[in-house]
Amino acid sequence: MSEPASISTGIAERYATAVYDLAREANQVDAIEGDLTALEAALNDSDDFRRLTTSPLYTREEQEQAIKVLAEKMGLTKTMANTLQLMAQKRRLFALPALVKALRETIAEAKGEITAEVTTAKALTKTQSDKLAKSLTASTGKKVSLHATVDESLIGGLVVKVGSKMIDTSIRSKLNSLQNVMKEVG
């Protein structure tokens, strides 16, 4: 893991633990999950929001004020809004994507669930998602929720990551394996 990534992960895990503890005490875990969905969508859809969280050109005050307004417009819980403002004060908004991931993992673990990262060449249908989740639930013994992304470079098949295990049935990886075998022969 690169140094900035590990720093970001460490910071995010500490914030995630604190937010989860506060949310659990206030019986707001479901509301926090809604906040995470909104934040994830904002990070994925808005270049301006990503820039706000990562650019050193914004002052602490500018970031804090922008986060305050955005949290209100997004309807975030007070716990999440205060956490984001604290992160802005401490110049730690760069860790927001890692916070979202760490907090999702913390909540899922508390519920006895695990998240499977699924990457496919084209979007899965509802039926395919349900079958995959059911199959993964049977093999892991825990309730599995899917976090699906699309990567057309896979050509076909899918890549599933559950915890430290990875299953790669993509055509791209099969072609790469075949290419390596061909190099060894020649």
Side-chain angles (χ1 to χ4, degrees):
M1 186 180 287
S2 69
E3 188 174 327
S6 65
I7 291 170
S8 178
T9 301
I11 291 168
E13 287 174 354
R14 288 191 297 276
Y15 278 103
T17 301
V19 170
Y20 177 74
D21 289 344
L22 289 169
R24 192 185 68 232
E25 288 172 14
N27 202 18
Q28 289 187 321
V29 174
D30 291 340
I32 292 292
E33 282 186 289
D35 292 349
L36 294 177
T37 301
L39 287 169
E40 202 168 41
L43 286 166
N44 290 334
D45 300 339
S46 174
D47 290 334
D48 292 334
F49 185 65
R50 272 193 312 278
R51 201 171 308 116
L52 172 71
T53 63
T54 58
S55 176
L57 298 177
Y58 295 106
T59 65
R60 293 172 196 256
E61 294 77 23
E62 289 171 332
Q63 282 184 325
E64 188 178 355
Q65 190 58 37
I67 287 296
K68 183 177 181 180
V69 171
L70 287 170
E72 192 175 304
K73 290 222 185 264
M74 292 170 72
L76 300 180
T77 61
K78 188 172 181 168
T79 301
M80 186 58 74
N82 289 342
T83 300
L84 294 178
Q85 285 184 282
L86 179 64
M87 289 175 75
Q89 288 172 3
K90 303 285 185 186
R91 301 290 287 179
R92 294 191 169 153
L93 281 176
F94 66 90
L96 184 57
L99 169 68
V100 170
K101 183 177 186 223
L103 193 48
R104 278 206 189 280
E105 289 171 357
T106 302
I107 291 170
E109 186 177 314
K111 290 181 173 181
E113 301 175 351
I114 54 173
T115 301
E117 301 286 331
V118 180
T119 308
T120 57
K122 61 180 187 175
L124 293 174
T125 64
K126 175 83 170 114
T127 306
Q128 290 170 326
S129 294
D130 292 344
K131 282 183 178 179
L132 181 58
K134 189 175 180 180
S135 173
L136 290 171
T137 297
S139 68
T140 62
K142 293 184 177 182
K143 185 176 186 299
V144 176
S145 60
L146 301 181
H147 182 266
T149 55
V150 175
D151 180 1
E152 293 177 358
S153 71
L154 294 179
I155 304 170
L158 57 117
V159 178
V160 180
K161 293 178 192 168
V162 181
S164 62
K165 294 182 182 177
M166 183 170 105
I167 303 162
D168 189 347
T169 63
S170 67
I171 292 175
R172 178 181 67 190
S173 72
K174 290 179 182 177
L175 288 173
N176 287 341
S177 296
L178 185 61
Q179 185 177 27
N180 289 337
V181 169
M182 299 284 283
K183 285 180 184 176
E184 290 173 12
V185 170

